[in-house]
Amino acid sequence: MTDRWARTRVKICGITDESGLAAAVEAGADAVGFVFVETSPRAIEPERAWMLASTLPAMVASVGLTVDLDLDAFADIESRCPTALNQLHGEEPDEVVRALGPDVIKALRYEPSTIDSELARYDAMDDVGTILVDGSAGGMGETLDWAGLAGAIERVGVTTPIMLAGGLAPETVADAIQIVRPYAVDVSSGVERERGVKDPELIRAFCAAVRAADAAR
């Protein structure tokens, strides 16, 4: 697979406090994610997320992650914490995805039997700015078949930027970048010292590993 991007962007997801946010910014992350899902160990109230997001430098994007919300529920969260980008991590119908565009980050779970059709589906949707491919329903740290995904991207001829998630950590992200050549990588559990609690040292190590992988390409 040929390189399309000069460098790999980094998103640190599941930010809940000042230390995690500061570590992500200082390590050079391009985006930080706030999880607006009550059942998640990384859940955060929109008002708290807004307090954190309002301190971000201008060139670091805030991302709001939601799962299967209708438009009214989404609008309520957006009114309390307007983020730069929206990440849809459920089974949202196409009309909802389109209504929340442009530049939606649409997540899908890697399944060998459906990956080609799912990539084609969202690649054809103008309101999707980035396709996120995860190894699970999200936040579980499950690694997917990187070579299988790379092959699917080639077969489908995907032009929409790909964000890779699932099982990424400082010690694995270089191999993932080498195989998939994604536009961006997204990490949550891989930079935690315990479930839902970010480790600033692991965040720094992850961002450094991404930069080293890019330099080696």
Side-chain angles (χ1 to χ4, degrees), residues 56-138:
L56 287 171
M59 300 304 290
V60 180
S62 58
V63 181
L65 186 156
T66 59
V67 174
D68 292 329
L69 296 185
D70 61 29
L71 293 178
D72 288 341
F74 180 88
D76 175 65
I77 290 176
E78 184 74 1
S79 70
R80 296 154 64 195
C81 182
T83 52
L85 296 168
N86 298 310
Q87 180 173 324
L88 307 182
H89 225 290
E91 300 295 329
E92 295 84 3
D94 289 356
E95 57 267 25
V96 170
V97 177
R98 293 190 179 96
L100 298 180
D103 296 329
V104 167
I105 300 171
K106 183 65 188 81
L108 60 91
R109 183 173 182 174
Y110 178 86
E111 294 287 354
S113 61
T114 59
I115 187 62
D116 286 25
S117 61
E118 288 291 274
L119 286 174
R121 172 187 177 186
Y122 294 118
D123 190 45
M125 200 175 296
D126 291 340
D127 290 296
V128 173
T130 305
I131 300 171
L132 185 150
V133 185
D134 204 337
S136 69

Side-chain angles (χ1 to χ4, degrees), residues 13-29:
C13 198
I15 294 294
T16 59
D17 58 26
E18 288 85 353
S19 66
L21 186 83
V25 171
E26 292 164 6

